[in-house]
Amino acid sequence: MIRTGVIWATLIAALAVPLIAAAGSPYLAWRDPVYILAGFAGILSLDLLLLQPLLAGKNLPGLSAVMSRHIHRWIGLTLALAIVVHVAGLWLTSPPDVVDALLFVSPTPFSAWGVIAMWTAFGAALLGVFRQHLHLRFRLWRLSHTVLAAVTIVGSVIHAMLIEGTMEIMTKTALCALVLLVSASTLAKLKVWDVRRRG
């Protein structure tokens, strides 16, 4: 019971502290509400990327395998929505920058990584939603879903680390490191690359 409480408290802190630190950023004083909303939607997306591999690996105490799977699915859809809010908010505040990013002609390197992560996140979400309609073997479906998720995670981490903005550097670095560490651990545990066994 104590161990379960410590795990959940640690996770909540890992998710909340970057948001709290960003809320105190001096950069917010010169930003309009739409831009701030877009920025926090991006931070929330990074938070959700920490939860997804934990749920996929059924590593959160107190949650059954079925519950973990259901929450994983809903958080995937929430992540896609958060990305839409992030991009839409940036579009409303600076359409030319978003167009340049989508066309991969932006002079800022973080833009390309963000766009790549966005499309692969949408791809992973669509695979999740239409899994039953694709008639793929489970292990092949899971490999495809995981590859898209892995690209989303790596692209999002690079995107976040290259941006000098609202997120405080230490909490951002810690969150990104946790996302990568947990994701790598889950990949090793699930062995998703093995598609030979019947699923």
Side-chain angles (χ1 to χ4, degrees):
M1 190 68 175
I2 295 177
R3 178 177 177 273
T4 297
V6 169
I7 291 174
W8 279 103
T10 302
L11 177 59
I12 291 170
L15 297 173
V17 169
L19 288 166
I20 295 170
S25 171
Y27 287 101
L28 298 181
W30 296 278
R31 301 297 189 182
D32 60 58
V34 174
Y35 190 94
I36 293 172
L37 176 64
F40 275 86
I43 302 171
L44 176 62
S45 298
L46 201 56
D47 267 356
L48 297 178
L49 286 178
L50 176 59
L51 287 173
Q52 285 297 70
L54 289 171
L55 291 164
K58 303 172 184 64
N59 294 324
L60 292 177
L63 297 181
S64 66
V66 173
M67 182 63 71
S68 294
R69 186 165 61 250
H70 284 317
I71 296 174
H72 179 81
R73 186 176 300 133
W74 281 107
I75 287 184
L77 294 174
T78 303
L79 172 61
L81 178 61
I83 293 172
V84 169
V85 172
H86 180 62
V87 175
L90 295 176
W91 167 271
L92 290 173
T93 55
S94 183
D97 288 339
V98 175
V99 171
D100 285 350
L102 293 173
L103 295 176
F104 293 100
V105 295
S106 174
T108 53
F110 63 78
S111 297
W113 287 106
V115 171
I116 291 169
M118 176 187 74
W119 289 121
T120 53
F122 290 163
L126 288 173
L127 275 180
V129 170
F130 295 107
R131 172 185 165 187
Q132 302 299 329
H133 302 279
L134 295 174
H135 305 296
L136 295 173
R137 285 194 307 128
F138 172 70
R139 291 187 178 278
L140 182 57
W141 172 88
R142 186 173 67 169
L143 176 63
S144 303
H145 180 74
T146 303
V147 167
L148 289 171
V151 175
T152 299
I153 288 166
V154 173
S156 298
V157 166
I158 296 174
H159 176 68
M161 291 304 300
L162 288 176
I163 295 175
E164 294 182 14
T166 306
M167 289 193 80
E168 189 272 328
I169 185 63
M170 295 301 294
T171 55
K172 175 172 71 173
T173 302
L175 177 58
C176 287
L178 279 174
V179 169
L180 292 175
L181 180 63
V182 169
S183 300
S185 176
T186 299
L187 282 175
K189 175 184 177 181
L190 296 180
K191 295 183 172 59
V192 295
W193 54 84
D194 183 2
V195 298
R196 294 170 297 174
R197 288 178 290 176
R198 243 178 119 177

